[in-house]
Amino acid sequence: MTTFSVLDLVPVREGGTLSEAFTATAELARAAERVGCKRFWVAEHHAMDGIAGGATSVVLAHVGNATSTIRIGSGGIMLPNHTPFQIAEQFGTLDALFPGRIDLGLGRAPGAGPELQRALRKNLHQAAEYFPQDVVELRALLTGDIDLPIHATPGLGAKVELWMLGSSLFGASLAAKLGLPYAFAAHFAPDHLDAALALYRRDFQPSEALDRPHVMVAMNVFAADTEAGARLLASSQQQSFVRLRTGTPGKLPPPVADYTDTLPASAQAMLAHIGQAAAVGTPAQVREGIAAFVKRTGADEIMLCGATYDPEARIRSLELTMEACENAVPA
C-alpha cells in the first residue's frame, strides 16, 4: 500500500506569532505520528514573513522532541545556501539525538534574490552549479564512502536517509545517477512531473542505499466533512500562492468563501494548473483524487501538503484523509 507523509512549511498566520507557528508544527507532527504517517518534513525558506522554517535543523530538533517514532527530515535543505560540512554536522547531530529517524532531502534551487545572497555571503547561482559535487561530498562526510581529509563530528557514521528533491529533470537525473530516492514537488510545480519520474526510473543506478527506484510525490490535500468546507480551508493557501506569484507574499491569510470566483482568469488558470496535484473535498473525494494521482505517478509515497489558517483544521483534514485512505489506495 502507498505510504503517506506530511510536509510542513511552519506557516505564520495573519495575527499570529512565530511561537504559535512552532507550537502548531509540533502539534501537527504529533498528529501525523498518531495517524500512522511515515515522515514529517520541514522545508527551508528564507526572508518570508509567512514561513518560519528557515533554521530547518533547529525546527527539526523541536519536532523530534515532540514525537517519538515518526521519521523527521528536510523537504528540503537547499544545499547551495550552505556548505556540505555544516549540513553533515547538523544532521549528524539530529541523528545522534533521534537515532534512526532522520531524513535529509536536498534541493538545488537557490530561490534567492540579491539581498539574501548578500545576507548569506554566497553567490548562490554559482553555488548551485556545484550542487552535484556538493551532494557527493555531503554523502561522503556522512558515510565515509570517500576518504576525505576532514571528518565531521557529529556526522561521520550517522544513519541519515538521503533524498533528492526536485521539480525538473535535473534532480531526477542526479537522483538516478546517485541511486537515491526521489521526491517531486508537484504541489507547486507540476510541469515536469511525468517526464521526471520516467527519466528517474529509466536511468536509476542501484547504490548501497537503494537497490531500486523509490518515488515520493507531493500534493496538496484538504479534507473536510463537506466539499464546501474543504474548499474554504484551501482558500488560505490559494491566496498565498496568488500573492507569491504576483510579488506580494505575506503571512497566511484567513479563508475566504468562493475565493477563486473573485480572481482574474490568469490567476484562476494558475491555481487550476497547480490543482492537478491536489485533492480537495470530502473524505471520499479526497480518497478518489489521491488514488487517481497514485495511478498516474506510480508513487511509492505521497507527501501531503497544504496549510490552513486554523491549525486544528489541518489536523482534522489529516485525520480524515488517513481514515479515508486506509487500505484504499494501492501502491
Side-chain angles (χ1 to χ4, degrees), residues 213-268:
H214 188 90
V215 167
M216 178 193 293
V217 182
M219 65 184 301
N220 294 303
V221 176
F222 297 91
D225 293 327
T226 66
E227 182 177 357
R231 294 193 179 282
L232 182 64
L233 291 181
S235 68
S236 292
Q237 179 160 292
Q238 290 173 331
Q239 292 175 72
S240 291
F241 273 140
V242 171
R243 292 178 184 182
L244 180 63
R245 296 292 174 89
T246 55
T248 57
K251 294 184 177 181
L252 187 69
V256 174
D258 302 318
Y259 169 67
T260 57
D261 295 342
T262 69
L263 296 174
S266 58
Q268 290 185 8

Side-chain angles (χ1 to χ4, degrees), residues 8 10 19-33 40 59 62-67 315:
D8 189 47
V10 196
S19 294
E20 291 171 349
F22 293 127
T23 296
T25 286
E27 292 294 336
L28 180 62
R30 278 192 281 265
E33 183 173 81
F40 187 92
V59 178
H62 172 60
V63 172
N65 280 318
T67 55
I315 290 175

